[in-house]
Amino acid sequence: MTSAPGGSTGTLRRGLGLLDAVGVGVAAMVGAGLFVVFAPAAAAAGDGLPFAILLAAAIAVANAVSSARLAAVHPQSGGTYVYGREQLGVPWGHLAGWAFITGKTASCAAMAMTIGVHLFPDASRVVAVVTVLAVLALNLQGVQRSARVALAIAVGVLALVVTFAVVLLVSPPALAEVPLVDPVVPGGPVGIAQGAGFLFFAFAGYARMATLGEEVADPRRTIPRAIAIALGIVLTVYVLVAVALTQGFGVGWLAARQAPLAEAAEISAWPWLGPALRIAAVVAAGGALLALTLGVSRTVLAMARDRHLPPVLALVDGPHAVPRRAEAVVTAVVIVLIVLGDLDGAIGFSSFCVLVYYAIANASAWTLEGGWVHRIIPTLGLLGCLGVAVLLPPPSVIAGVVVLLVGATTGWVRHTTRE
């Protein structure tokens, strides 16, 4: 969904190989979610947390397969915004783009709040707002996080997190060192689905690989393999962390934390891992926030050019030729979410919108040629996305439905009346 700063429609160079694509996917998935999402997921799923992880992963795999098939048919940047438009019609493409913008804007707020709770928990909102304004300043200067820097950050963070999990498994903390917390009642099917919805927030970054159609050499072969490898790496790490946390501290303790990995490390056999994980969380979330705000603002730019959003947001100006108005609007909305919402609410709302986005991707994949066998995975993905989305906490569902309906209606009216 990205566009060149000056609005060029030229073809992107196909210079990315398998390792590059895997690196992009892993880097996109290793952000704020890894450090905060286990707490709300444990609160919802209770002792069913492992099943929630598997359900989230299964939905992610189905979505990835559908996205990969679509990327092979439509090897151009744009993701489900393009897939929905080409396979289902312009209104569905608009809805997918709107779901992406709203969901990822909430993700930006969640990432900023993640930085706040890891740096200064008592003033987390202030820190989050300052962080967002700092990112806006960088974006207006044309600063972007390179793919190599993103990969280096991801490798470093994963190495630290795996070390932390292994330390917990090998040398669990003494019971006397673990604060007592009332146990969380197992959530049952609904709780597991809610937990999967929260955990999906941590998996959703793999979409970045599916949008690399114009930049990857041999996309029909490379993209599916890259998605499978990146998802396998991240799923393994998430399962390892979940097992280490639940065995070492219990689901009740985990559900009550703001920064579960860092807080657990601080009372582990290697307490120095606590500050190190706080730094890692800030670096990972900050890098993801910078990249994601760029992606959201460029999607706003693209949709404004297609007149699905006010055309004024498509203006590119300033000494660095960036969409300053789109950047400013995205930043303002993120700040409002930070001030009025909370971390769990931002994750829930983001997950709802992104699940709708992938429901459209699966519906688009269902229309591709290939017979009924090739429609099994899109069908399961569509049902999984919608089922988990509607079972998220009611405030997230209600807010998501209202925002998507308003945006979809406005966009469709503008599209049908603009001529």
Side-chain angles (χ1 to χ4, degrees), residues 27-198:
M29 282 185 275
V30 179
L34 174 60
F35 295 94
V36 295
V37 78
F38 288 105
D47 290 337
L49 181 61
F51 298 104
I53 295 175
L54 294 177
L55 177 57
I59 294 173
V61 169
N63 294 344
V65 171
S66 292
S67 296
R69 290 188 64 211
L70 288 161
V73 175
H74 303 286
Q76 61 191 89
S77 297
T80 305
Y81 176 51
V82 172
Y83 310 150
R85 182 188 67 201
E86 297 299 323
Q87 297 296 136
L88 302 175
V90 171
W92 293 103
H94 166 76
L95 179 58
W98 183 246
F100 178 89
I101 289 173
T102 54
K104 294 305 182 180
T105 300
S107 293
C108 291
M111 290 176 188
M113 286 188 273
T114 296
I115 293 173
V117 300
H118 281 85
L119 282 181
F120 298 102
D122 294 335
S124 60
R125 292 181 194 272
V126 175
V127 173
V129 171
V130 171
T131 299
V132 172
L133 292 175
V135 167
L136 173 63
L138 291 174
N139 287 342
L140 293 179
Q141 295 299 313
V143 176
Q144 298 189 26
R145 184 181 68 160
S146 72
R148 295 193 176 210
V149 171
L151 180 57
I153 291 173
V155 170
V157 169
L158 285 179
L160 186 61
V161 169
V162 170
T163 300
F164 154 76
V166 171
V167 168
L168 281 188
L169 290 172
V170 173
S171 302
L175 294 178
E177 298 174 348
V178 180
L180 295 177
V181 178
D182 291 334
V184 174
V185 176
V190 173
I192 290 172
Q194 283 187 2
F198 283 116

Side-chain angles (χ1 to χ4, degrees), residues 383-402:
L383 294 176
C385 285
L386 295 179
V388 169
V390 299
L391 291 176
L392 280 164
S396 296
V397 175
I398 294 171
V401 169
V402 170

Side-chain angles (χ1 to χ4, degrees), residues 13-42:
R13 185 173 68 89
R14 296 187 183 277
L16 299 180
L18 177 62
L19 182 59
D20 299 312
V22 170
V24 168
V26 172
M29 282 185 275
V30 179
L34 174 60
F35 295 94
V36 295
V37 78
F38 288 105

Side-chain angles (χ1 to χ4, degrees), residues 34 37-38 49-58 158 161-162 164-166 168-169 199 202-203 231-248 254 261:
L34 174 60
V37 78
F38 288 105
L49 181 61
F51 298 104
I53 295 175
L54 294 177
L55 177 57
L158 285 179
V161 169
V162 170
F164 154 76
V166 171
L168 281 188
L169 290 172
L199 287 159
F203 281 102
L231 271 173
I233 292 172
V234 174
L235 174 60
T236 300
V237 173
Y238 287 176
V239 170
L240 181 65
V241 170
V243 170
L245 288 171
T246 53
Q247 288 191 1
L254 176 58
L261 274 67

Side-chain angles (χ1 to χ4, degrees), residues 150-404:
L151 180 57
I153 291 173
V155 170
V157 169
L158 285 179
L160 186 61
V161 169
V162 170
T163 300
F164 154 76
V166 171
V167 168
L168 281 188
L169 290 172
V170 173
S171 302
L175 294 178
E177 298 174 348
V178 180
L180 295 177
V181 178
D182 291 334
V184 174
V185 176
V190 173
I192 290 172
Q194 283 187 2
F198 283 116
L199 287 159
F200 187 78
F201 174 82
F203 281 102
Y206 65 81
R208 180 71 184 97
M209 288 179 288
T211 61
L212 294 174
E214 287 186 66
E215 301 171 69
V216 171
D218 191 10
R220 290 177 181 269
R221 175 179 172 83
T222 301
I223 291 178
R225 292 173 64 197
I227 290 175
I229 294 171
L231 271 173
I233 292 172
V234 174
L235 174 60
T236 300
V237 173
Y238 287 176
V239 170
L240 181 65
V241 170
V243 170
L245 288 171
T246 53
Q247 288 191 1
F249 300 92
V251 175
W253 183 93
L254 176 58
R257 302 303 103 188
Q258 279 190 307
L261 274 67
E263 294 180 49
E266 287 165 351
I267 55 176
S268 71
W270 290 6
W272 61 266
L273 282 172
L277 282 168
R278 289 186 183 275
I279 294 172
V282 171
V283 172
L289 177 60
L290 178 60
L292 193 52
T293 52
L294 284 168
V296 173
S297 64
R298 270 54 178 182
T299 303
V300 170
L301 170 69
M303 293 186 69
R305 282 178 174 164
D306 290 342
R307 304 187 71 84
H308 289 307
L309 292 174
V312 68
L313 297 177
L315 295 178
V316 175
D317 53 14
H320 300 284
V322 297
R324 295 192 294 181
R325 291 166 180 80
E327 297 272 12
V329 168
V330 170
T331 299
V333 174
V334 171
I335 290 175
V336 169
L337 292 175
I338 292 170
V339 173
L340 299 181
D342 57 29
L343 182 54
D344 290 357
I347 293 174
F349 178 82
S350 174
S351 293
F352 179 86
C353 294
V354 175
L355 284 163
V356 171
Y357 173 87
Y358 279 111
I360 296 172
N362 282 294
S364 300
W366 196 89
T367 66
L368 296 175
E369 296 181 359
W372 67 270
V373 173
H374 293 281
R375 291 179 173 173
I376 294 176
I377 289 179
T379 300
L380 295 176
L382 175 62
L383 294 176
C385 285
L386 295 179
V388 169
V390 299
L391 291 176
L392 280 164
S396 296
V397 175
I398 294 171
V401 169
V402 170
V403 169
L404 292 184

